[in-house]
Amino acid sequence: MIKPELYDVIELLTDLPQVDIKAGQLGTIVEKHNDNAYEVEFSNSMGETLAFLAVKTSQFIVVWKSKTQDWVPLADRVAAMLEVLPEERQKQVLNFTRSLYQISA
């Protein structure tokens, strides 16, 4: 997992129905509660705040690093997503990936 830091941009992996925020929504880390929870600000395309809430590290991946001012490489994002999946789901992803090699381009 890529270590989250203040002002990193995260992508939510799970829906948060209590505040109507869907998986895939981007947010910015604005506070660290502990090593497993961060306060994240979610905004709309107009820059208006949709929600401020504590999110567990198992619910998001880091997609942009404030320190380097750069996007996290796609392979690193996929690896981070796999880390939070149960082993059985990881095996399903591995089998799917293997199947991609069988498809002619």
Side-chain angles (χ1 to χ4, degrees):
M1 178 172 126
I2 299 158
K3 183 174 172 27
E5 298 178 286
L6 287 180
Y7 311 116
D8 286 353
V9 175
I10 61 99
E11 179 180 331
L12 198 59
L13 297 176
T14 59
D15 290 343
L16 301 174
Q18 71 275 24
V19 290
D20 198 31
I21 303 285
K22 304 281 187 204
Q25 176 75 38
L26 300 181
T28 303
I29 295 174
V30 295
E31 186 69 43
K32 179 179 179 180
H33 293 296
N34 58 48
D35 286 338
N36 296 318
Y38 293 81
E39 193 76 15
V40 176
E41 177 184 15
F42 294 96
S43 305
N44 64 20
S45 61
M46 304 289 286
E48 301 166 325
T49 299
L50 301 173
F52 272 105
L53 58 133
V55 182
K56 296 177 185 175
T57 55
S58 62
Q59 295 177 291
F60 69 83
I61 61 167
V62 175
V63 296
W64 186 82
K65 294 297 290 176
S66 176
K67 185 180 280 185
T68 61
Q69 300 282 297
D70 205 7
W71 293 99
V72 173
L74 185 57
D76 293 343
R77 293 187 217 175
V78 171
M81 291 174 83
L82 282 172
E83 286 179 15
V84 297
L85 288 176
E87 187 172 341
E88 186 56 37
R89 299 286 284 175
Q90 289 179 16
K91 289 178 184 177
Q92 290 174 347
V93 172
L94 178 61
N95 288 335
F96 170 74
T97 305
R98 285 178 178 142
S99 73
L100 294 175
Y101 285 93
Q102 305 306 315
I103 300 172
S104 59

